[in-house]
Amino acid sequence: MKKHNLAVILHEPDIPQNTGNIIRLCANTGAELHLVKPLGWGGMNDSKLRRAGLDYHEYTNLVIHENWARCFEYFRGRTIWAVETGSSVFHTEVSYTSNDVLLFGSETRGLPDSILTQLGMQNVIRLPMQISQRSLNLSNSVAIAIYEAWRQIRFIGGV
């Protein structure tokens, strides 16, 4: 079966339940999951993380990076799309490849300006929402974005 190399990065996630949900999401979409430390909970055996992820941990290719610099180096040569509210480009307005990476910031802080500058605003996209609202839940945001990228590459590896 053909496989894609889509990946999701969570930069310094704060809420273990969100990450647990995203573990399950990545298992079901075939996307790798990368976490950038520090994590906002005690570790990968956290009960809230394990409960939200159910038994999908074993089906997810999960990599933990000590810091952003190491994570960025890991993905050198691949397109990283940062998902942030400050962009004017919607996630549906870009063309994804099977090798692309979606980057999300922490639930409480988003992504640092230094990372957005490093990637360039041409690689920052946003999810549409009502003008009066601040943000979407992180696990919902990842689901919306990964399914659009996967749809564009014709659901490689899916049934």
Side-chain angles (χ1 to χ4, degrees), residues 33 44-45 54 84 113-114 120 136 148:
L33 179 58
M44 296 310 293
N45 288 320
L54 296 174
E84 262 297 319
D113 289 339
S114 60
L136 293 166
E148 174 60 18

Side-chain angles (χ1 to χ4, degrees), residues 40-61:
W41 60 89
M44 296 310 293
N45 288 320
D46 181 273
S47 62
K48 293 174 184 173
L49 175 86
R50 307 254 350 132
R51 181 171 183 189
L54 296 174
D55 61 347
Y56 288 87
H57 296 255
E58 63 189 273
Y59 302 111
T60 304
N61 186 0

Side-chain angles (χ1 to χ4, degrees), residues 42-157:
M44 296 310 293
N45 288 320
D46 181 273
S47 62
K48 293 174 184 173
L49 175 86
R50 307 254 350 132
R51 181 171 183 189
L54 296 174
D55 61 347
Y56 288 87
H57 296 255
E58 63 189 273
Y59 302 111
T60 304
N61 186 0
L62 176 66
V63 179
I64 300 175
H65 301 273
E66 289 300 316
N67 54 50
W68 169 248
R70 288 188 182 167
C71 183
F72 184 72
E73 183 60 34
Y74 181 94
F75 287 108
R76 186 168 298 284
R78 291 174 67 179
T79 301
I80 300 174
W81 298 102
V83 181
E84 262 297 319
T85 56
S87 177
S88 60
V89 178
F90 290 126
H91 74 293
T92 54
E93 296 176 323
V94 299
S95 296
Y96 300 98
T97 72
S98 63
N99 208 33
D100 283 356
V101 181
L102 297 167
L103 169 63
F104 298 84
S106 77
E107 295 91 336
T108 57
R109 297 176 308 282
L111 287 167
D113 289 339
S114 60
I115 290 177
L116 299 176
T117 300
Q118 181 181 26
L119 297 176
M121 285 310 290
Q122 73 279 2
N123 283 67
V124 181
I125 57 177
R126 66 185 289 246
L127 304 177
M129 61 182 161
Q130 295 294 303
I131 197 161
S132 61
Q133 299 303 308
R134 291 188 318 267
S135 64
L136 293 166
N137 172 274
L138 179 61
S139 61
N140 292 338
S141 297
V142 174
I144 292 166
I146 196 67
Y147 267 94
E148 174 60 18
W150 197 28
R151 181 194 69 80
Q152 285 190 25
I153 63 168
R154 306 185 61 76
F155 299 108
I156 293 172

